[in-house]
Amino acid sequence: MAASPSTARAINDRLALRLLQQEGPLTAGQLKTLTGLSRPSVADLVERLQDSGLVQIVGETSDRRRGPNARLYGIVAGRAHLAALDVRTHSVSVVVADLLGATLAEAALPIGSDTAADTAVEQAAALLERTAREAGAVRLHSVGIGAPGLVDPATGELRDTSGLPAWHRRLVAALQDRLPAHVLVENETNLAALAEQRLGAARGQDTFVLLWLGHGVGAAVVLDGKLRRGASGGAGEIGFLPVPGTSGLPSAVDCGGGFHALAGSAAICELALEHGISAVPVPQEPPAAAQVRAAASAGGEGGAFLDALADRLAVGAAAVSAVLDPGRIVLAGEVGHAGGEALAARVEERVATMSPLRTEVRAGTLGGAAVLRGALLTARDAAQDELFAPGA
C-alpha cells in the first residue's frame, strides 16, 4: 500500500535529518543524490525542516564554478541539550552536549565512601546542574546515566544491589523528579559496549562480548545487533562466574570466589607485585591500570606479568566463547585499554588453545571514557528519536 503524502513527507524528513546527522552539512544537491528525491521535493523538505527549527543554513560550498555557491544545510545543534553521567562507587562524571553530541562542558567529582546518601545525591545533582549552566543549557532534553548494578528490563529502573552505594539508586529517582528531562539509566558495562560498537573496537560488529576490566569485572553481550540484558537484567555478571584458580566459590552476595578474584583490580595488583611490577596509580583510575600500562611498555618481567594475566583472563574469555560464540571479545575498561594489543593478543592465543570456536580478542579503544560516551549516545538517540519523529 502506497504511503499517504503526509506520511511520505514525514519519512523523507526523517531520512534527511539522519543523513545530516551522519554526514554533516549537505547541499540541496547532495541531499537529492543521497535521498533519491526530486529537486522540488528536496526544496520543500529543506523549507519544512527550516520552519520547524531543526535545520539551518550553516555556510556555502567553496567549489570553483560559475554562479553562486550552493548553500550548506545542517542540523541546529542547539535545538536540544543533552547530559550524560558516569556514576561510579566513589565518583561521578558529567558531560553536557548539544543535539549532535559535541561536548559543551564536563566535570567530575569524587564522593567519599563515608558520605551520607542524601549528601551524595545532592552533590551529584548539583554537579550536573552546575555543568549544564556552564554549557549554557537552560533546559536538558535527555539525560543518560551509566551505573554499576542491575537495571530492571521491565521498568528500566536501577535495582537495589548489595555492595553498591545506596545513593546510586536515589540519584536516578532524584534527577527524574528534579529535571524536566527524559532520564535514562543503563548498566555501565552495557553503555561501554554501545560506545565501543559505535566508536571503538567493536565498530561494525553485530555480535560480540565486551569484558569490562576496571575496579571490578563485568561483561556486556551483543548478539545479532541487540544488547542482551537477560531475564532479570543480569546478563554479563561474569564476576560471579565460578572458575578454577580461586580459593572457593562465589555466593549470591559476594563474587569474591568467582572470576572477579582473578581479574578484579586488587587481584591484578597482587599479581603485578609478584612479578616486580609497580607504577604510580592515576587519579580516578583503578590502580591495576597503571601497572598493566607499565608492563605493556616494558620487556622482561613486564612480559611475564602480561603472560600470567592473560592466563587468568583467558579462563573467563574461553567460557564466554564456549557458551555464546561471539566471534569477538573486547577487553575494555581502564585495564583492558592499558593492556592494549600486547595483552589482547596473548589472551587470543590462549583462548584458541582452549576453545574450538574462532574468537578474536581486541583491546578497547575508549578506556574508562566508554561509559560516559555510551551514556551520551543513549541520550542523543532518545532526543533525536523524539525531535526527528513525524509531527514533532
Side-chain angles (χ1 to χ4, degrees):
M1 182 180 295
S4 66
S6 61
T7 300
R9 285 194 296 271
I11 292 172
N12 292 336
D13 289 355
R14 191 177 180 91
L15 172 59
L17 287 165
R18 289 298 180 193
L19 288 170
L20 290 169
Q21 186 265 322
Q22 294 167 5
E23 304 293 336
L26 297 169
T27 66
Q30 290 170 324
L31 282 171
K32 174 181 178 297
T33 300
L34 292 171
T35 61
L37 298 173
S38 66
R39 189 174 299 276
S41 294
V42 170
D44 291 342
L45 176 152
V46 169
E47 184 176 357
R48 284 195 304 274
L49 294 179
Q50 286 182 287
D51 291 343
S52 70
L54 285 170
V55 167
Q56 63 184 356
I57 298 172
V58 297
E60 295 182 344
T61 59
S62 57
D63 296 338
R64 294 183 177 179
R65 59 175 184 166
R66 294 181 179 179
N69 292 334
R71 293 173 174 176
L72 282 168
Y73 298 95
I75 291 175
V76 180
R79 174 65 185 273
H81 290 99
L82 322 168
L85 289 83
D86 180 1
V87 180
R88 303 290 179 100
T89 304
H90 302 301
S91 68
V92 60
S93 300
V94 175
V95 62
V96 177
D98 61 26
L99 184 58
L100 291 176
T103 298
L104 303 176
E106 54 188 330
L109 179 72
I111 296 180
S113 58
D114 57 346
T115 305
D118 290 343
T119 302
V121 168
E122 181 57 35
Q123 289 177 346
L127 179 69
L128 171 59
E129 292 171 341
R130 184 166 62 251
T131 308
R133 287 195 299 271
E134 292 174 359
V138 176
R139 179 184 182 279
L140 293 173
H141 183 283
S142 300
V143 178
I145 303 175
L150 306 182
V151 176
D152 192 311
T155 66
E157 296 180 349
L158 187 65
R159 294 170 51 186
D160 285 323
T161 306
S162 61
L164 294 176
W167 64 269
H168 284 191
R169 193 166 191 271
R170 295 187 192 180
L171 174 62
V172 174
L175 293 180
Q176 289 172 333
D177 291 338
R178 196 159 169 164
L179 299 175
H182 300 294
V183 179
L184 310 163
V185 62
E186 180 58 272
N187 173 268
E188 58 178 354
T189 308
N190 289 343
L191 290 178
L194 171 63
E196 290 285 0
Q197 185 183 37
R198 296 270 195 94
L199 309 169
R203 186 177 297 183
Q205 298 292 124
D206 287 335
T207 296
F208 70 97
V209 167
L210 178 138
L211 287 185
W212 179 266
L213 303 173
H215 285 287
V217 58
V221 180
V222 177
L223 300 177
D224 301 324
K226 293 184 178 180
L227 179 67
R228 305 295 181 175
R229 296 179 175 84
S232 63
E237 288 294 325
I238 197 172
F240 286 88
L241 180 72
V243 293
T246 64
S247 59
L249 292 173
S251 71
V253 295
D254 184 8
C255 61
F259 186 53
H260 174 84
L262 297 182
S265 180
I268 295 175
C269 287
E270 292 178 4
L271 184 65
L273 185 62
E274 293 173 8
H275 286 80
I277 304 297
S278 62
V280 178
V282 175
Q284 306 303 319
E285 267 194 355
Q291 294 172 317
V292 172
R293 189 179 300 112
S297 61
E301 289 299 319
F305 164 63
L306 292 180
D307 286 340
L309 178 56
D311 288 340
R312 291 186 174 194
L313 297 180
V315 173
V320 166
S321 176
V323 174
L324 298 175
D325 187 18
R328 178 173 295 187
I329 292 176
V330 176
L331 304 182
E334 296 91 348
V335 176
H337 179 65
E341 289 306 319
L343 178 60
R346 285 172 164 85
V347 175
E348 181 175 315
E349 289 174 1
R350 286 154 178 78
V351 171
T353 67
M354 300 166 68
S355 171
L357 307 175
R358 173 165 165 69
T359 306
E360 299 176 343
V361 180
R362 297 289 182 268
T365 61
L366 303 177
V371 177
L372 204 56
R373 298 287 290 276
L376 185 58
L377 286 169
T378 298
R380 192 188 75 181
D381 288 348
Q384 291 185 354
D385 282 346
E386 179 179 315
L387 295 174
F388 293 180

